[in-house]
Amino acid sequence: MADRGEPPEGPSGSPSGGSEDEYRSLVFDESFVRAARLQEFSAQERMEDHAPAVRSLPARHWRTGSRAAIALILLIALAFGTAVYMGLRDPYQAPVGRRAGPLASTVVPLAPRGVVPGGTPEALLAASPAAQFGKGAAGINLPVIRRTDNFSDSQVASALTTVKDYLVASSLDPDVLTGATARPVELLLDPDQTAQFERSMNRSQDDGEHAASGWLVRFDPAKVALAGTDIRVRGTLSYTEEGADTLEVVSDHTFTYVLRPATAGPRGTGGDSLFTVRRELRFRFDREDLRLHRLEVRSSYVQAGPQSCPADTTGALRPLLAGQRAVLRGPAGTDPYATGRPTAALCGTLAVSSPQAPTRSPAPQGHGAPPASRSPWSRP
């Protein structure tokens, strides 16, 4: 029989009775108590009137964490959907734009009236209309630059600068003039015209599209050599809009070269002669061309002499040098130093008269074109 002081089920901690081990799993540690949503008031707090037995604790951070997790999941889903959409849309595909058309070119040889005069470069230039021209790239002047309805000042300036670079590369570069390279010209072309340009350089044809002389000035190095680097230039540049996305630039320049036979003796022997090339070119720019510093050559109209008529000038110009004369001449006189619209057709006669007072004529159409005048050396 158990003692009076012991409970009927046996002493505390005995194997047969209840023990603390039964409630060990129900002992709450501090972290569990803190995480409870309800908390019992203290005895003092329960003595106050209308005090509930328990109070609710504020929400724990787990809800904030849940919201952050949901937001992260939504963000990932949005990013995934955007990636799928952009992949289907193919953002790396080049935008569809206007393709550059082929160049249309005309090359007109100008035959001299008599024997081609010779002399030293200094004497020849001093006695010619080119005496008042600029030297090299300094003779290609940009007009006053003003914005248009759809193109800014900087875009207009970019177009004019690109055209000047093209004229310098195709008309003044000694390596291009002697046929050593055509790369400086090709680098400025719209890629859509590259195939036509390369065919014109390698297999020139008189078909209005594949004449090398339509793209650049080139002499046959086996027959002709430059007598010096003093190339005289005069002309105009003008520009106008063709539409909201297209800008057109027109150049009209006369280039005067001093040439000699490829087998000529030392400089100053008097065997040099002048050769004049007038080039009227039309260029087109879209916004991509302006951004990439390139251009499309739409048309080229070239008059060059002295040459024989007719002359095969598709691959290279064929100058008549000092002491030579043309076998045939064209039907009318053509002055390559004159301004205004060129008039010679398939062949012309080179006509350069003595100086006289200039007379004015209307300027070309378009922005930035300075007042043009009839050549002071052309006949009325």
Side-chain angles (χ1 to χ4, degrees):
M1 178 180 292
D3 295 336
R4 291 179 179 270
E6 295 178 355
E9 63 274 9
S12 175
S14 65
S16 60
S19 69
E20 293 182 358
D21 292 338
E22 297 181 44
Y23 306 98
R24 187 176 301 278
S25 61
L26 299 179
V27 175
F28 304 134
D29 58 11
E30 184 178 356
S31 61
F32 181 85
V33 174
R34 289 181 178 179
R37 294 299 313 280
L38 298 177
Q39 186 179 37
E40 184 179 4
F41 285 103
S42 65
Q44 182 64 34
E45 289 173 330
R46 289 197 300 268
M47 291 176 64
E48 298 177 0
D49 293 338
H50 309 292
V54 295
R55 61 180 170 212
S56 298
L57 295 178
R60 297 296 179 184
H61 295 294
W62 69 272
R63 286 198 172 188
T64 302
S66 298
R67 292 174 182 174
I70 294 174
L72 180 60
I73 293 173
L74 292 176
L75 183 61
I76 294 174
L78 179 62
F80 179 76
T82 302
V84 172
Y85 170 76
M86 295 299 289
L88 295 176
R89 185 173 177 268
D90 190 7
Y92 300 103
Q93 183 177 4
V96 178
R98 179 191 57 80
R99 291 185 60 85
L103 164 68
S105 62
T106 301
V107 183
V108 179
L110 302 179
R113 295 182 182 276
V115 176
V116 177
T120 63
E122 295 79 5
L124 290 170
L125 289 172
S128 76
Q132 301 181 18
F133 290 7
K135 294 184 179 182
I140 305 175
N141 299 312
L142 302 185
V144 177
I145 297 174
R146 298 186 180 92
R147 62 166 297 127
T148 64
D149 292 339
N150 297 287
F151 292 91
S152 65
D153 295 351
S154 61
Q155 289 174 319
V156 173
S158 176
L160 294 172
T161 302
T162 305
V163 168
K164 180 174 181 177
D165 291 343
Y166 183 89
L167 294 175
V168 170
S170 62
S171 308
L172 300 176
D173 189 327
D175 292 333
V176 174
L177 295 176
T178 57
T181 183
R183 188 62 176 168
V185 181
E186 185 176 6
L187 290 175
L188 294 169
L189 294 176
D190 188 294
D192 293 338
Q193 291 189 315
T194 299
Q196 182 190 10
F197 177 82
E198 292 178 349
R199 179 180 172 184
S200 301
M201 297 301 108
N202 300 324
R203 301 188 305 276
S204 295
Q205 293 180 335
D206 188 14
D207 58 359
E209 291 187 357
H210 298 96
S213 301
W215 299 94
L216 47 79
V217 178
R218 172 189 284 181
F219 304 110
D220 185 352
K223 298 180 179 180
V224 177
L226 294 173
T229 59
D230 188 0
I231 302 173
R232 302 298 176 92
V233 186
R234 186 189 68 173
T236 60
L237 287 171
S238 61
Y239 60 92
T240 187
E241 282 190 8
E242 275 199 339
D245 296 316
T246 308
L247 191 66
E248 182 187 66
V249 177
V250 178
S251 69
D252 187 358
H253 289 79
T254 299
F255 301 85
T256 301
Y257 307 87
V258 184
L259 304 178
R260 62 176 52 169
T263 58
R267 180 177 178 180
T269 58
D272 301 334
S273 59
L274 296 184
F275 189 81
T276 304
V277 179
R278 181 180 176 185
R279 307 181 71 198
E280 184 189 85
L281 304 172
R282 292 182 177 270
F283 305 91
R284 176 185 288 168
F285 295 84
D286 57 24
R287 299 186 185 277
E288 190 74 359
D289 293 331
L290 294 173
R291 186 178 68 85
L292 298 176
H293 190 68
R294 70 189 189 192
L295 49 76
E296 171 194 350
V297 189
R298 296 185 59 193
S299 65
S300 172
Y301 191 90
V302 180
Q303 296 176 342
Q307 298 184 96
S308 290
C309 285
D312 182 9
T313 57
T314 57
L317 300 174
R318 301 179 181 275
L320 293 174
L321 302 176
Q324 297 178 336
R325 67 171 64 240
V327 178
L328 296 173
R329 291 200 307 265
T334 302
D335 187 355
Y337 294 100
T339 58
R341 182 68 182 172
T343 57
L346 299 179
C347 190
T349 298
L350 181 63
V352 180
S353 60
S354 59
Q356 63 181 17
T359 57
R360 295 193 176 275
S361 60
Q365 296 292 326
H367 296 272
S373 61
R374 184 175 178 82
S375 170
W377 305 279
S378 60
R379 293 176 180 175

